Amino acid sequence: MPAPSPWPVSQDLAALAGRARSLSSSRGDAGLLADLAAALLRIQPVARELERRSSWLPPGSCAAEAPALHAWLLDLTAAVAEAEDLLDDLHRRRLLGPAASGCLGAAAALLGPARELRRLSRRLDAARYDSERLGSGRAAGCGVRSPHRVTGSVPAERRVVGRDEECDDIVGRLIGGGEEICCSVAPVVAVVGHGGMGKTVVAQCVYNDTRIEGYFDLRAWVCVWDRLDEAELTREILHATGHADDDTSCDDSLERLQERLGEVVASKRFFLVLDDVWKDEGKTELETRTVWNKVLAPLSSAATGSKILVTTRMKLVAEVLNATYVVRLDGLKIADCLLLLKETALGGETMDFPPELLEFGRAIAANVKGSPLATKVIGEMLRNTRSTRKWRALTDTEICDNIIISSLQLSYQQLPGHLQRCFAYCSIFPTTWRFNRYKLVKMWMALGFVQPLIEGKKLEDLGNKYFDDLQSHSFFVSAQNKDQQTYYFLDDLMHILAQHFSAQDCMKINEDIPVVIPPTVRHLSVSTDYLPLLKSKYRLGRLRTLLVLRSSSLSSSHFPSKLLAKCKNLRVLDLSESDITELPRTISQLVHLHYLALCTITSTLPGVYTLVHASVS
C-alpha cells in the first residue's frame, strides 16, 4: 500500500494569516507580514482542493498524479511549519522586547525576520503556481465519492462464524416487545462496528432467520451508503417492500412517496433493515436528525411490533436514529478467525486443520486482529492450496495490516481535516495507552491543532468537542478501571489505521532505532535508553512533540542536556511516563514550549527564572 499524504494543514492557513495581520499592527515590517497573510489566504483554496483530491485518489485512474501531488503536499506542510515557527518568534519578540534577542534560536533570528518573511511569501506563491501543473481538469475522476455500494438481504455465506451470540441477541430484541411505548415510529436496534467487522453479514443472518420471517408481515432491505436525500431514501424503502408501481416515479414529490409508503406498511408488522448508514459530514447533527425523522415518519402507520435494524460504523448514527438498543461488533476471537480461515481457504466445516499448516494458520489468525474481512481476504488468497511456502508468506504482518487499512480507510477519509490530524497524532502513543482526554486535548491545543471557529469560544471547549466527535465516530473506545474512572483507548484496528495515516508526520521508536528518521517527522515517542542516539539520526530542530517513555531495560534519571537544547521548536514535551527526574537548565531554551508533563517523582527542576519563556501546562 502506498504511503499516505501528510495530514491536512489547509484549515490552519486562515488562522496563520490572522496572526500575521495582528502582528503587523505593531511592527516596522508590517508590509511584509501583510504579504505573508495574503500569500497564506491565496493558497488556502488550492490546498483544500488538493488535500481533498489526495484523500480520495482511486486506485489506477489517478496513480500517475499521486507522486507529484504527494510531493506538493509535503512541501506545503513544511512551509506551514516554518510560518508557524516564524510567527511564534515574532510574537515572542513583541512580548519580550529587548530581552528577546537573547532567547530566540529559530531561523528568523539567524536570517532576520524581514528576509524570512519575504522568502516564505515567495515559497507559498511558488507552491500555488506549481499546483497548476497538477491540473484540476485531469482530476475529474478523483476527489469524488466512489459509486453506490450495493448490499442485499441474501447471505453470501453458509453460516456466520463467531457471531451466533450477537445474532440471537438481536433477533430476541426484534421480536420482543415493550419498546414501542416510548417510540413514535418503529424502535431501532443498531449494530455498530468498524469496517470489515461483519455488520452486513450479521444483518443478513438476522433478516433470514426463521423467527424473523414468521414474526413480521413485511420485510425490506435498503443499503443506504451515500443515499442521504429524503425522497431518494423513501423511494428506496418503497421499492424494497416490493410495492413500487406505476403510481410512483422518479419525479414524484416527497409528500407523494411518503403517502404511498404509509399506505404500504399500514397495519402491518414491518421490519426494515437500513444497512451501512453514514452521517453526512456536510450536515449538522440536528439537520441529520431532521432528515431521518422525515424519512421514517410514514412508519408510524405500521402495526405495533414493527422494528428497524441499522448497521453503521458510527456510534453517532445510532444516537441520531434514537436507537433503543446497540450491539457493538468487536473483533472475533483468534479461535474463530482460525476457523473462518480454514473454511475460506480449505472448505469443509468438519475437516481438521492440516497439521503442517496449523502453525501458519494460527499466526495469520493472530495478525488479522479479529477482522473477519481480513481473514476472508487471506483465506481467498490461499484457497485450495496446501503449499507451506505460500502459507508462510502470508504470515507477514504487513500484508494483514494493509488489508485492515483498506477496510477502514473510508472511515478516516470521511472525517473533517482537523479531526483526521487529531486522530492520527495518537499513533505516537503505545498500543496499550490509556488516554486521559483532558491531557490529550491540551496537547492538541499546544500544537495548534485546535482552531477557534467562533469568536469567544474557549479553545479547551472546542478541543473537547473534537474528542467527543472522534468518539462518536467510533475512533475512541471508553472503559472504566477498577476505581470506576473512565479512560479511553484505541483498539488494535484503529491503532493500525492511525499509524498508517501519520506515517509522514509521526514515529514511535519501540525497539531498534531506525537507520533514518524521515525528515517529515515532527512528532516522536521514544524510550529513555534511545534518547542519546537521536542526535545522530535526526535534525531535532524539526520536532514539535517528544514523548519519552520508561525503558524496560535501562533506567535513566537525566535528560541529555545538549540533546534538549537542539529541540528548539518543541511544543510538547511529555516525561510523565518516563523515569527522568532531573531536567537540565537548557530547558529554558525551549521558547516555543506550551505543554510540559513531568514524572510524578521529579526531584530536580531548574530555577523558576529559567522557565520564564515557556508556557507550561
Side-chain angles (χ1 to χ4, degrees):
M1 179 171 291
S5 296
W7 55 38
V9 295
S10 60
Q11 68 271 9
D12 300 335
L13 299 177
L16 283 174
R19 289 181 60 194
R21 284 195 300 264
S22 66
L23 284 169
S24 67
S25 62
S26 59
R27 293 189 57 85
D29 44 18
L32 294 175
L33 281 162
D35 289 344
L36 176 61
L40 288 164
L41 293 176
R42 281 194 295 269
I43 203 170
Q44 185 180 33
V46 177
R48 186 183 297 117
E49 169 59 24
L50 293 182
E51 285 173 349
R52 184 184 70 88
R53 191 188 307 173
S54 172
S55 176
W56 292 100
L57 275 175
S61 61
C62 301
E65 180 189 8
L69 180 55
H70 182 82
W72 189 93
L73 291 171
L74 283 175
D75 186 60
L76 175 66
T77 301
V80 169
E82 287 187 28
E84 288 174 341
D85 291 341
L86 176 58
L87 293 175
D88 277 358
D89 278 334
L90 294 177
H91 176 66
R92 200 165 298 276
R93 281 176 181 249
R94 187 176 73 172
L95 290 178
L96 300 177
S101 60
C103 67
L104 289 174
L110 298 174
L111 302 176
R115 180 179 173 186
E116 194 70 353
L117 285 167
R118 289 191 190 94
R119 186 184 67 81
L120 267 175
S121 295
R122 288 197 299 265
R123 181 177 182 180
L124 290 167
D125 281 335
R128 185 170 64 91
Y129 177 79
D130 198 38
S131 69
E132 295 177 4
R133 67 185 173 85
L134 297 174
S136 58
R138 284 184 298 145
C142 303
V144 294
R145 188 150 187 187
S146 50
H148 283 327
R149 179 180 180 230
V150 178
T151 66
S153 61
V154 179
E157 302 172 20
R158 294 190 303 273
R159 67 184 184 120
V160 183
V161 174
R163 299 298 191 196
D164 292 342
E165 185 177 331
E166 289 88 345
C167 289
D168 284 341
D169 183 23
I170 294 168
V171 170
R173 286 281 171 174
L174 293 171
I175 64 177
E179 295 171 339
E180 289 82 356
I181 300 172
C182 61
C183 301
S184 57
V185 295
V188 175
V189 174
V191 181
V192 180
H194 297 318
M197 280 292 109
K199 300 181 294 297
T200 297
V201 173
V202 166
Q204 289 169 337
C205 175
V206 169
Y207 189 89
N208 291 283
D209 190 286
T210 54
R211 291 168 290 178
I212 295 292
E213 291 176 344
Y215 183 78
F216 292 100
D217 303 316
L218 180 65
R219 295 176 298 150
W221 178 290
V222 174
C223 177
V224 177
W225 186 224
D226 59 355
R227 301 172 178 88
L228 296 172
D229 171 78
E230 294 101 322
E232 184 181 8
L233 280 168
T234 305
R235 188 178 294 108
E236 287 290 331
I237 296 171
L238 187 57
H239 179 77
T241 64
H243 289 77
D245 50 37
D246 293 338
D247 292 339
T248 58
S249 68
C250 292
D251 296 326
D252 276 337
S253 66
L254 175 62
E255 184 179 356
R256 170 64 187 128
L257 290 168
Q258 294 208 306
E259 180 184 323
R260 177 63 178 140
L261 179 58
E263 294 169 356
V264 167
V265 303
S267 302
K268 293 186 178 71
R269 191 178 284 164
F270 181 46
F271 177 47
L272 172 64
V273 173
L274 297 171
D275 187 39
D276 202 15
V277 182
W278 294 73
K279 177 186 176 295
D280 184 349
E281 296 300 335
K283 290 185 172 69
T284 65
E285 184 177 334
L286 179 60
E287 289 170 336
T288 304
R289 285 183 185 274
T290 301
V291 168
W292 281 109
N293 287 341
K294 193 175 295 184
V295 169
L296 299 178
L299 273 58
S300 60
S301 66
T304 300
S306 297
K307 298 286 172 60
I308 300 170
L309 178 64
V310 172
T311 72
T312 179
R313 299 187 183 197
M314 302 178 181
K315 176 185 172 185
L316 178 62
V317 168
E319 294 170 356
V320 165
L321 285 167
N322 299 313
T324 57
Y325 189 67
V326 177
V327 176
R328 179 175 175 83
L329 287 191
D330 295 316
L332 294 178
K333 297 175 182 177
I334 291 180
D336 289 325
C337 289
L338 186 61
L339 177 60
L340 182 58
L341 178 67
K342 185 202 75 170
E343 291 192 5
T344 308
L346 303 173
E349 298 179 15
T350 58
M351 182 186 71
D352 291 333
F353 215 102
E356 71 275 13
L357 302 179
L358 185 57
E359 178 186 351
F360 306 127
R362 285 173 175 162
I364 293 170
N367 289 344
V368 296
K369 310 294 185 187
S371 169
L373 178 61
T375 306
K376 287 186 282 188
V377 169
I378 292 181
E380 290 293 341
M381 295 167 71
L382 292 169
R383 181 172 289 278
N384 297 325
T385 179
R386 298 196 178 199
S387 165
T388 55
R389 181 181 60 82
K390 290 183 179 179
W391 279 73
R392 182 186 294 108
L394 289 177
T395 61
D396 184 351
T397 56
E398 186 175 347
I399 294 173
C400 293
D401 286 356
N402 286 343
I403 296 170
I404 289 168
I405 291 163
S406 296
S407 68
L408 297 174
Q409 63 183 356
L410 187 59
S411 297
Y412 176 85
Q413 290 164 340
Q414 287 291 322
L415 287 176
H418 62 278
L419 294 183
Q420 288 182 359
R421 180 169 58 181
C422 289
F423 165 70
Y425 177 74
C426 296
S427 69
I428 67 170
F429 296 92
T431 53
T432 56
W433 192 267
R434 293 185 175 188
F435 289 94
N436 178 314
R437 60 176 291 161
Y438 303 107
K439 288 181 64 175
L440 182 60
V441 165
K442 286 186 180 295
M443 288 180 170
W444 291 342
M445 290 166 57
L447 293 163
F449 290 178
V450 182
Q451 297 290 347
L453 301 176
I454 304 172
E455 194 69 30
K457 180 87 170 179
K458 289 183 178 179
L459 282 184
E460 193 162 358
D461 292 341
L462 190 55
N464 279 310
K465 185 180 184 305
Y466 285 11
F467 190 95
D468 290 336
D469 287 346
L470 285 170
Q471 190 185 10
S472 69
H473 283 72
S474 302
F475 285 88
F476 283 108
V477 181
S478 64
Q480 288 188 325
N481 60 20
K482 60 183 179 181
D483 298 323
Q484 300 302 305
Q485 294 176 321
T486 301
Y487 65 89
Y488 303 86
F489 64 94
L490 300 180
D491 62 30
D492 289 342
L493 299 180
M494 285 293 106
H495 202 86
I496 290 170
L497 188 68
Q499 283 185 309
H500 175 72
F501 281 104
S502 65
Q504 300 293 335
D505 305 271
C506 300
M507 178 169 280
K508 180 173 56 187
I509 301 175
N510 294 324
E511 298 175 1
D512 297 329
I513 194 87
V515 176
V516 176
I517 298 175
T520 57
V521 168
R522 289 183 171 82
H523 310 279
L524 185 68
S525 66
V526 63
S527 59
T528 50
D529 49 345
Y530 288 113
L531 269 178
L533 302 177
L534 282 181
K535 189 176 176 183
S536 62
K537 300 290 183 180
Y538 182 72
R539 285 178 55 189
L540 294 167
R542 297 189 182 106
L543 269 188
R544 299 298 185 87
T545 300
L546 182 59
L547 172 64
V548 184
L549 303 171
R550 186 176 293 107
S551 171
S552 59
S553 59
L554 180 66
S555 177
S556 174
S557 62
H558 296 80
F559 198 112
S561 176
K562 292 183 178 179
L563 180 73
L564 192 60
K566 294 287 185 182
C567 302
K568 57 188 178 182
N569 287 314
L570 210 59
R571 266 70 169 175
V572 171
L573 177 60
D574 192 333
L575 308 173
S576 61
E577 296 298 322
S578 74
D579 41 21
I580 292 175
T581 58
E582 298 180 21
L583 288 175
R585 295 177 66 87
T586 48
I587 194 172
S588 64
Q589 298 176 28
L590 303 185
V591 296
H592 296 295
L593 193 65
H594 293 294
Y595 179 94
L596 173 61
L598 301 173
C599 173
T600 54
I601 57 172
T602 300
S603 59
T604 303
L605 282 173
V608 174
Y609 68 91
T610 65
L611 291 172
V612 71
H613 301 308
S615 172
V616 182
S617 299

